[in-house]
Amino acid sequence: MDYYEERYEVCVRRSKQTGLVVSEEWTAAGRLHREGAPAVTKYDEANGTKIGEEWFKRGRCHREEGPRATFFDAASGRVVEENWGIDDMEHRTGAPSYIEYSPISGKATREEWRTLGNLHRIDGPAVVVRSPNTSVVTLEEWHHRGVQHREDGPAVIVRDESSGKVVLAEFYRLGRLQAARTIDRKLER
């Protein structure tokens, strides 16, 4: 029978005031590492609820099947941040690699699309920011391999939070600003 052995050390930290566990860290060979579960788990000091978990492989923040880091709101328990990536780089194919959520509504308020650490998306904006109050998209940024770029329109669009009207449009080609317009009506092509 073929097998291998991994030896782990677990460091558990407790709050001096409450005695509750505030973090657990799993290491192997002196580096953060754990197979099949988060290597770092953080808990709220006041009530002990889980507020974060991070997956590591051989000292690098890494996870191939799911977010490598997830953080939770201590009061509601809702996910407030997810970060996907491999080998210490934000990375995800076909979906955002970083997502922030409103702790109140649970809706996404910020999305970033990254490939091997660079902001990059072919079929839409690589950065999308929504108002937590109105859910209106207030910022869109198009990036190609880490630089602001868009062939068929503005690479940066800023909208008014309440009306959704475009108030600023910036046109970039390969990271160079070509033109900027302040607008108080819909952008026309």
Side-chain angles (χ1 to χ4, degrees):
M1 185 164 140
D2 291 332
Y3 66 93
Y4 66 95
E5 181 177 290
E6 284 189 337
R7 293 178 185 249
Y8 291 100
E9 288 186 25
V10 181
C11 177
V12 177
R13 291 185 176 88
R14 293 183 177 275
S15 166
K16 288 183 179 179
Q17 288 128 349
T18 63
L20 295 173
V21 174
V22 293
S23 70
E24 296 174 8
E25 292 183 357
W26 292 67
T27 58
R31 297 183 291 190
L32 288 169
H33 178 83
R34 189 173 181 197
E35 293 289 336
V40 176
T41 306
K42 297 177 182 176
Y43 302 92
D44 184 80
E45 187 175 342
N47 61 20
T49 59
K50 182 166 59 172
I51 57 172
E53 60 183 32
E54 298 172 87
W55 296 64
F56 283 82
K57 184 175 184 177
R58 296 183 191 99
R60 293 177 173 226
C61 198
H62 177 95
R63 187 175 180 201
E64 294 176 17
E65 302 296 327
R68 67 180 182 169
T70 305
F71 298 96
F72 307 90
D73 179 65
S76 68
R78 288 187 179 183
V79 173
V80 292
E81 184 180 322
E82 287 181 314
N83 183 301
W84 299 66
I86 55 172
D87 293 328
D88 278 341
M89 289 184 292
E90 280 190 41
H91 176 81
R92 190 175 182 196
T93 304
S97 61
Y98 176 81
I99 308 170
E100 282 182 19
Y101 299 93
S102 165
I104 297 164
S105 70
K107 293 181 180 177
T109 56
R110 183 179 185 92
E111 296 177 350
E112 295 180 4
W113 299 62
R114 292 181 187 265
T115 301
L116 298 175
N118 293 312
L119 285 168
H120 177 77
R121 187 175 177 196
I122 294 171
D123 59 350
V127 176
V128 178
V129 178
R130 289 178 188 80
S131 165
N133 302 321
T134 62
S135 295
V136 167
V137 174
T138 58
L139 174 67
E140 292 179 83
E141 292 182 10
W142 274 256
H143 290 260
H144 180 74
R145 295 184 180 159
V147 296
Q148 289 180 324
H149 176 79
R150 187 175 180 197
E151 296 284 335
D152 61 350
V156 176
I157 300 173
V158 178
R159 290 187 179 85
D160 178 75
E161 178 181 351
S162 54
S163 69
K165 291 183 179 178
V166 175
V167 295
L168 175 67
E170 296 178 339
F171 296 78
Y172 283 85
R173 299 287 184 272
L174 299 173
R176 292 192 175 145
L177 180 63
Q178 305 295 308
R181 293 189 218 156
T182 304
I183 305 168
D184 60 358
R185 57 179 167 58
K186 269 192 161 177
L187 181 63
E188 298 174 10
R189 286 195 200 171

